């Protein structure tokens, strides 16, 4: 194993969060090494299937789909661009160390970087909102992708972070089959909640991996015997736990994404309409995202016996559902069907695709959560407690998955974390 030249920062993971942190540091003149375990893909090429031998895991207590992308750009390569702030109520429960107002300026900076394109509300969405007494807003779509950032051109690909070693990171170069320790003033982990947890557990940190959360998903397709029109997306918000009249016996919340009406082929369901009538039918996706909350029996640890093809202990993902989450799952189903019924024309049919109690939505969070209490793995800036130079920029640091798509919140957190790294650099320089 060799040791390389010291950097100002090493950022592990070239997905949205890692890319934003690296870009912020580079733009302020710092030497940053951005590493990713996957390749840099040509424009438009789909991310390859994950090597299941090299990225093995085991689910305990139930099935779990660890949704992974191993390529520069990360899960943003599959992102639909949904860019909405979490509802204010999210920050008032389940351990968030600040209120929505604290994150507001970072949301604004993230929105500027994303170059958001505001949508327009379709007339039928207005009718549904009025009929059901709910709030429906147009989709806010990001035109930004990590691939547009110049910092990715210098990213070191096929480089797997194994563990932290002193002030550095041990990195395995897959192409040359050798390991080296890369030293840096700051180490920023943005490898995804499960992978970041594995790195920290292998580095001797024991206060991580607990309270794994994700999104509960209730997904339906509404098939209507009417030709598709302009594809429009919207978001139903504030459905539960936001005011006195919609309180429920659980702490989380959920929102519902509505996308369509589109040709059935857009969703790959053309075989579900009568043969030869594909052009006379339309499909609308109704996709509810529910906020899971911390549960003592849902966590990530390392399998004491399982080793993957790279010689690493494999992660064990422990699955469990609380009674409160089961109650929310029923509300998510009911609300989704209610919106479908309000949208539907005569002769329509509703097809369920994903049930809320089917784990593994790809929005994991919480394994290295921020908190005001000293027992929380990270402080309110994502800085790892017990370490002078380690920050968590990915969703590991978010106490919950929130009540809607998390990418905008994740980027706001990443920008806030980058700011704290820069602040630490300034403090260090002033002491010299």
């Amino acid at each position: 194993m060799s040791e390389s030249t010291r950097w100002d920062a090493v950022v592990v993971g070239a997905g949205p969060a890692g890319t934003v942190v690296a870009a912020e540091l580079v733009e302020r003149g710092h030497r940053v090494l951005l590493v990713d375990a996957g390749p840099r893909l040509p424009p438009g090429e789909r991310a390859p299937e994950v090597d299941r031998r090299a990225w093995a895991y085991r689910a305990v207590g139930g099935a779990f789909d660890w949704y992974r992308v191993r390529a520069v750009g990360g899960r943003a390569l599959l992102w639909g661009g949904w860019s909405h702030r979490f509802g204010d109520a999210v920050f008032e429960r389940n351990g968030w160390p600040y209120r929505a107002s604290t994150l507001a300026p970072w949301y604004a900076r993230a929105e500027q970087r994303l170059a958001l394109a505001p949508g327009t509300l379709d007339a039928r969405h207005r009718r549904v909102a009025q009929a059901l007494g709910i709030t429906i807003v147009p989709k806010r779509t990001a035109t930004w992708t990590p691939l547009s950032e110049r910092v990715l051109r210098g990213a070191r690909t096929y480089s797997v972070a194994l563990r932290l070693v002193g002030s550095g990171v041990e990195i395995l170069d897959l192409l040359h089959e050798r390991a080296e320790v890369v030293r840096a003033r700051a180490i920023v982990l943005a490898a995804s909640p499960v992978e970041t947890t594995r790195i920290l557990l292998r580095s001797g940190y024991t206060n991580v991996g607990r309270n794994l959360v994700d999104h509960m998903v209730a997904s339906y397709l509404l098939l209507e015997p009417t030709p598709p029109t302009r594809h429009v997306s919207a978001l139903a918000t504030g459905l539960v736990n936001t005011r006195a009249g919609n309180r429920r016996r659980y702490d989380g919340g959920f929102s519902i994404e509505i996308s369509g009406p589109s040709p059935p082929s857009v969703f790959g369901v053309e075989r579900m309409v009568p043969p030869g009538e594909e052009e006379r039918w339309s499909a609308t996706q109704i996709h509810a995202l529910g906020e899971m909350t911390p549960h003592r029996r849902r966590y990530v640890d390392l399998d004491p016996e399982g080793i993957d093809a790279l010689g690493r202990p494999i992660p064990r993902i422990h699955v469990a559902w609380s009674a409160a989450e089961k109650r929310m799952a029923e509300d998510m189903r009911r609300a989704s069907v209610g919106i479908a019924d309000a949208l539907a024309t005569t002769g329509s049919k509703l097809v369920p695709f994903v049930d809320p109690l089917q784990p593994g939505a790809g929005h994991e969070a919480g394994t290295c959560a921020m908190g005001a209490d000293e027992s929380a793995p990270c402080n309110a800036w994502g800085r790892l407690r017990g370490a002078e130079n380690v920050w968590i920029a990915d969703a590991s640091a978010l106490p919950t998955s929130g009540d809607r798509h998390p990418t905008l919140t994740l980027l706001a957190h990443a920008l806030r974390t980058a700011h704290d790294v820069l602040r630490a650099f300034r403090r260090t320089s002033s002491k010299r």
Side-chain angles (χ1 to χ4, degrees):
M1 187 192 315
S2 63
E3 293 203 12
S4 66
T5 306
R6 186 182 178 96
W7 298 77
D8 289 322
V10 174
V11 180
V12 177
T19 300
V20 163
V21 171
E24 287 285 303
L25 301 183
V26 167
E27 287 166 8
R28 283 154 182 79
H30 293 287
R31 298 178 65 251
V32 178
L33 176 63
L34 176 62
V35 301
D36 196 88
R40 182 183 292 101
L41 301 175
E45 183 173 323
R46 295 186 60 182
E49 288 289 327
V50 171
D51 182 342
R52 293 186 176 272
R53 291 184 64 251
W55 299 96
Y57 70 100
R58 185 158 73 88
V60 179
F64 188 92
D65 184 10
W66 181 16
Y67 194 72
R68 296 155 292 172
V69 175
R70 289 290 174 264
V72 169
R75 297 182 194 181
L77 297 176
L78 307 177
W79 180 34
W82 291 87
S83 303
H84 294 262
R85 300 185 183 193
F86 284 176
D88 289 356
V90 169
F91 300 96
E92 298 170 6
R93 58 196 180 214
N94 297 312
W96 282 82
Y98 46 69
R99 297 295 181 94
S101 57
T102 301
L103 202 59
W106 305 101
Y107 268 136
R109 287 190 59 188
E111 289 162 346
Q112 184 178 23
R113 184 178 287 271
L114 291 175
L116 291 185
T120 56
L121 200 61
D122 188 73
R124 73 173 190 160
H125 294 151
R126 292 194 186 94
R127 291 194 296 270
V128 169
Q130 185 173 11
L132 299 180
I134 61 176
T135 299
I136 299 181
V137 297
K139 176 184 179 182
R140 303 173 75 207
T141 307
T143 56
W144 171 94
T145 74
L147 301 181
S148 64
E149 296 284 354
R150 293 182 61 184
V151 71
L152 283 188
R153 299 175 190 172
R156 185 180 296 181
T157 57
Y158 294 107
S159 298
V160 179
L162 300 177
R163 58 185 173 178
L164 307 184
V165 180
S167 63
V169 187
E170 183 182 359
I171 294 175
L172 175 63
D173 182 336
L174 296 178
L175 296 180
H176 299 94
E177 298 183 343
R178 67 188 180 200
E180 64 174 326
V181 175
V182 179
R183 304 288 178 183
R185 296 166 63 192
I187 298 166
V188 182
L189 298 180
S192 84
V194 175
E195 191 57 36
T196 289
T197 297
R198 169 161 51 182
I199 292 168
L200 291 174
L201 288 172
R202 294 196 70 201
S203 306
Y205 292 91
T206 58
N207 191 28
V208 297
R210 299 174 296 139
N211 298 328
L212 171 69
V213 293
D214 200 340
H215 269 133
M216 301 169 66
V217 173
S219 193
Y220 297 81
L221 276 180
L222 175 65
L223 297 173
E224 301 177 271
T226 56
T229 56
R230 183 170 64 100
H231 180 101
V232 179
S233 296
L235 185 73
T237 66
L239 297 162
V240 295
N241 288 333
T242 55
R243 59 184 185 277
N246 66 11
R247 296 295 178 190
R248 296 292 190 271
R249 289 192 301 139
Y250 46 82
D251 290 332
F254 63 86
S255 60
I256 299 178
E257 299 172 356
I258 308 166
S259 300
S262 303
S265 58
V266 169
F267 301 106
V269 295
E270 55 269 33
R271 293 184 180 180
M272 291 186 176
V273 303
E277 297 186 18
E278 292 84 359
E279 294 182 0
R280 293 195 288 272
W281 282 73
S282 62
T284 297
Q285 185 181 46
I286 299 164
H287 192 74
L289 293 175
E291 181 184 13
M292 294 170 68
T293 55
H295 189 295
R296 64 181 180 81
R297 292 193 293 113
R298 188 168 51 231
Y299 59 95
V300 176
D301 65 4
L302 300 181
D303 192 324
E305 300 177 355
I307 301 293
D308 66 19
L310 300 181
R312 302 171 298 173
I314 68 173
R316 287 192 307 192
I317 301 172
H318 296 256
V319 179
W321 297 106
S322 68
E325 287 164 346
K326 292 176 182 178
R327 288 192 289 269
M328 184 164 69
E330 185 56 38
D331 279 356
M332 291 170 65
R333 297 184 194 105
R334 186 182 302 112
S336 297
V337 171
I339 287 177
D341 287 344
L343 287 169
T345 55
T346 302
S348 301
K349 55 184 178 180
L350 186 64
V351 182
F353 268 81
V354 181
D355 186 81
L357 299 181
Q358 177 180 324
H363 296 162
E364 309 97 86
T367 53
C368 307
M370 298 181 289
D373 190 276
E374 289 295 321
S375 64
C378 291
N379 70 12
W381 297 90
R383 192 168 188 167
L384 187 66
R385 288 192 166 97
E388 287 296 320
N389 70 328
V390 181
W391 284 261
I392 310 298
D394 63 26
S396 309
L398 307 185
T400 71
S401 52
D403 62 352
R404 58 203 70 179
H405 200 288
T407 297
L408 179 63
T409 302
L410 175 62
L411 294 183
H413 165 69
L415 288 167
R416 184 173 155 86
T417 297
H419 174 80
D420 197 51
V421 173
L422 291 167
R423 189 166 56 180
F425 286 168
R426 289 193 294 270
R427 284 198 301 267
T428 303
S429 298
S430 66
K431 293 178 181 177
R432 292 177 178 173

